[in-house]
């Protein structure tokens, strides 16, 4: 029988790509989203890619009764939880907004799961939990550092909440995937990242500068202790990242987990500097970007990249798409959105 996966925040950037990959792998997917940080563009794109309409529930995971009703309506075998606020800067100025939304929504899901005898729960965590790591690349054993923002802290706290629930409630199994820097868009250019207002993240700022929506890209810092003086990151293609979720969900549903709670790094294992990313974007898309150096951005770590070998060994997953293809897809998506 087909298994059903609930994707909270399924209309967002990562959730929409995961929904496509899960559906194409043969899972029934239920999308639940309150559209607080996105419109229906990605949801419509998902349906267009798949050639059918997927169930969509408009709801807020902070509403426990709504979560109960959702679990009563659908035979949910696994939950992938994306619904969360994610702006690092805003989380510093409005920490309670982040703690309320990001923690309560997850607690509600876990509580409903517990009341119903358990569930398989996949949490979308982040490399932000490693902070400025001493040894690179980071493995899952690398100690977490105190978070530098309330947003980052909600990721650390949700990991711990999931770990504790798995320990206490026998029916609950959990996997946390720690994403490095997800970028790009679906090769169809029908779904992608749609930041509201001025983008915080590098690639949306690059594509918006290239299309003329932003005058100039600021490269934050040129005197870091790295080969070219700019920060190093592990940029992971969004479709590759989405496929890691299919592997993780399948591992849970097939009973292949080696412990009730597992953690995997999801990255490429290759550090790329901010300048290298810009140069690659210009080369593969045949254009010149208007950019300048600017002061360091407070809170940025200098360098972080993954050791993804555990995901390779246990999930049979590795990043496959090239940075060239990823940055072409990001540009195709920006052009598609501009033309809409
Ligand atoms: C990457 C590099 C910037 C914008 C953040 C969150 C993390 C995760 C992903 C999200 C840095 C530089 C950026 C610009 C620049 N979570 N940059 N000019 O900071 O690695 O990770 O997003 O939900 O938790 O912290 O990603 O894309 O913002 O920055 O020079 O206009 O690009 O300084 O070195 P980051 P990013």
């Amino acid at each position: 029988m087909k298994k059903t996966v609930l994707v909270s925040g399924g209309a967002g950037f990562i959730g929409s790509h995961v929904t496509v990959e899960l559906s194409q792998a043969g899972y029934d997917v239920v999308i639940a989203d309150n559209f607080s940080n996105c419109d229906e563009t990605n949801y419509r794109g998902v349906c267009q890619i798949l050639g059918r309409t997927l169930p969509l529930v408009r709801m807020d995971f902070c509403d426990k009764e709504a979560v109960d009703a959702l679990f009563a309506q659908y035979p949910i075998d696994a939950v992938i939880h994306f619904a969360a606020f994610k702006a690092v800067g805003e989380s510093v100025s409005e920490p309670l907004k982040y703690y309320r939304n990001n923690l309560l929504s997850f607690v509600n899901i876990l509580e409903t799961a517990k009341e119903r005898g358990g569930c398989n729960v996949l949490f979308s965590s982040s490399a932000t939990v490693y902070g400025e790591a001493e040894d690179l690349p980071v493995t899952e054993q690398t100690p977490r550092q105190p978070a530098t923002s309330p947003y980052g802290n909600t990721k650390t706290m949700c990991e711990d909440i999931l770990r504790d629930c798995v320990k206490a409630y026998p029916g609950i199994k959990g996997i946390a995937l720690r994403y490095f820097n997800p970028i790009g868009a679906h090769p169809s250019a029908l779904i992608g990242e749609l930041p509201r207002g001025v983008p915080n993240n590098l690639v949306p700022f690059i594509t918006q500068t290239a299309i003329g929506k932003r005058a100039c890209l600021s490269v934050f810092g040129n005197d870091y202790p790295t080969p070219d003086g700019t920060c190093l990151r592990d940029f992971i293609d969004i479709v590759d990242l989405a496929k890691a979720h299919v592997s993780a969900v399948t591992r849970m549903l097939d009973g292949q987990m080696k412990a009730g709670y597992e953690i995997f790094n999801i990255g490429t294992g290759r550090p790329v500097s901010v300048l290298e990313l810009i140069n690659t974007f210009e080369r593969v898309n045949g254009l010149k970007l208007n950019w300048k150096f600017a002061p360091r951005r407070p809170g940025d770590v200098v360098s972080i990249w993954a050791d993804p070998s555990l995901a390779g060994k246990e999930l049979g997953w590795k990043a496959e798409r090239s940075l060239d293809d990823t940055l072409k897809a990001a540009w195709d998506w920006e052009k598609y959105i501009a033309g809409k």
Side-chain angles (χ1 to χ4, degrees), residues 99-117:
Y99 287 122
R100 165 171 282 279
N101 186 61
N102 294 9
L103 301 182
L104 184 57
S105 57
F106 197 42
V107 167
N108 280 344
I109 288 172
L110 289 163
E111 202 161 38
T112 301
K114 181 207 108 182
E115 287 159 2
R116 300 183 68 87

Side-chain angles (χ1 to χ4, degrees), residues 195-201 205 208 214:
R196 288 211 166 142
V198 182
N200 294 309
N201 297 116
F205 208 106
Q208 289 197 7
R214 310 281 153 209

Side-chain angles (χ1 to χ4, degrees), residues 14 85-88 125-129 148-149 151-152 155 179-183 199-206 216-221 224 230-235 273-274 277-278 292 295-297 299-302 304:
I14 302 180
F85 294 146
K86 61 170 187 175
V88 177
S125 191
S126 168
T128 196
V129 302
T148 54
S149 71
Y151 160 76
K155 291 293 175 195
Y179 315 145
F180 284 67
N181 288 59
I183 61 164
N200 294 309
N201 297 116
L202 180 59
V203 169
F205 208 106
I206 288 177
C216 182
L217 165 74
S218 291
V219 172
F220 300 134
Y224 284 107
T230 65
C231 294
L232 295 173
R233 293 289 182 274
D234 185 333
F235 296 99
S273 76
V274 172
L277 190 94
I278 293 170
K292 62 172 191 328
R296 291 181 177 194
R297 184 172 70 175
D300 273 341
V301 299
V302 180
I304 180 117

Side-chain angles (χ1 to χ4, degrees), residues 130-270:
Y130 295 117
E132 186 83 69
E134 277 173 25
D135 292 318
L136 291 165
V138 292
T139 73
E140 292 78 359
Q141 304 307 319
T142 300
R144 296 181 310 183
Q145 307 267 0
T148 54
S149 71
Y151 160 76
N153 207 17
T154 65
K155 291 293 175 195
T156 306
M157 291 164 94
C158 283
E159 283 192 356
D160 290 348
I161 290 169
L162 181 55
R163 179 203 61 206
D164 294 346
C165 287
V166 165
K167 226 184 274 171
Y169 310 122
I172 296 184
K173 306 245 174 307
I175 291 183
L177 298 183
R178 291 178 178 158
Y179 315 145
F180 284 67
N181 288 59
I183 61 164
H186 195 265
S188 66
L190 292 170
I191 54 175
E193 198 168 2
L194 272 176
R196 288 211 166 142
V198 182
N200 294 309
N201 297 116
L202 180 59
V203 169
F205 208 106
I206 288 177
T207 57
Q208 289 197 7
T209 305
I211 207 106
K213 250 173 116 174
R214 310 281 153 209
C216 182
L217 165 74
S218 291
V219 172
F220 300 134
N222 63 354
D223 56 354
Y224 284 107
T226 60
D228 66 17
T230 65
C231 294
L232 295 173
R233 293 289 182 274
D234 185 333
F235 296 99
I236 173 74
D237 181 90
I238 187 68
V239 176
D240 280 337
L241 179 92
K243 287 180 174 161
H245 295 72
V246 178
S247 304
V249 161
T250 303
R251 178 179 177 87
M252 291 177 134
L253 293 174
D254 289 356
Q256 290 165 355
M257 292 176 71
K258 295 203 171 136
Y261 173 60
E262 296 179 328
I263 301 168
F264 298 102
N265 284 342
I266 304 299
T268 66
R270 182 167 93 87

Side-chain angles (χ1 to χ4, degrees), residues 261-323:
Y261 173 60
E262 296 179 328
I263 301 168
F264 298 102
N265 284 342
I266 304 299
T268 66
R270 182 167 93 87
V272 171
S273 76
V274 172
L275 278 189
E276 186 185 345
L277 190 94
I278 293 170
N279 292 336
T280 309
F281 182 85
E282 291 183 328
R283 176 177 54 75
V284 300
N285 294 310
L287 45 80
K288 275 275 160 227
L289 262 189
N290 188 23
W291 68 267
K292 62 172 191 328
F293 284 121
R296 291 181 177 194
R297 184 172 70 175
D300 273 341
V301 299
V302 180
S303 300
I304 180 117
W305 69 95
D307 176 343
S309 52
L310 189 66
K313 183 165 162 259
E314 297 294 333
L315 300 179
W317 173 90
K318 69 171 173 17
E320 280 170 353
R321 282 165 61 79
S322 68
L323 187 61

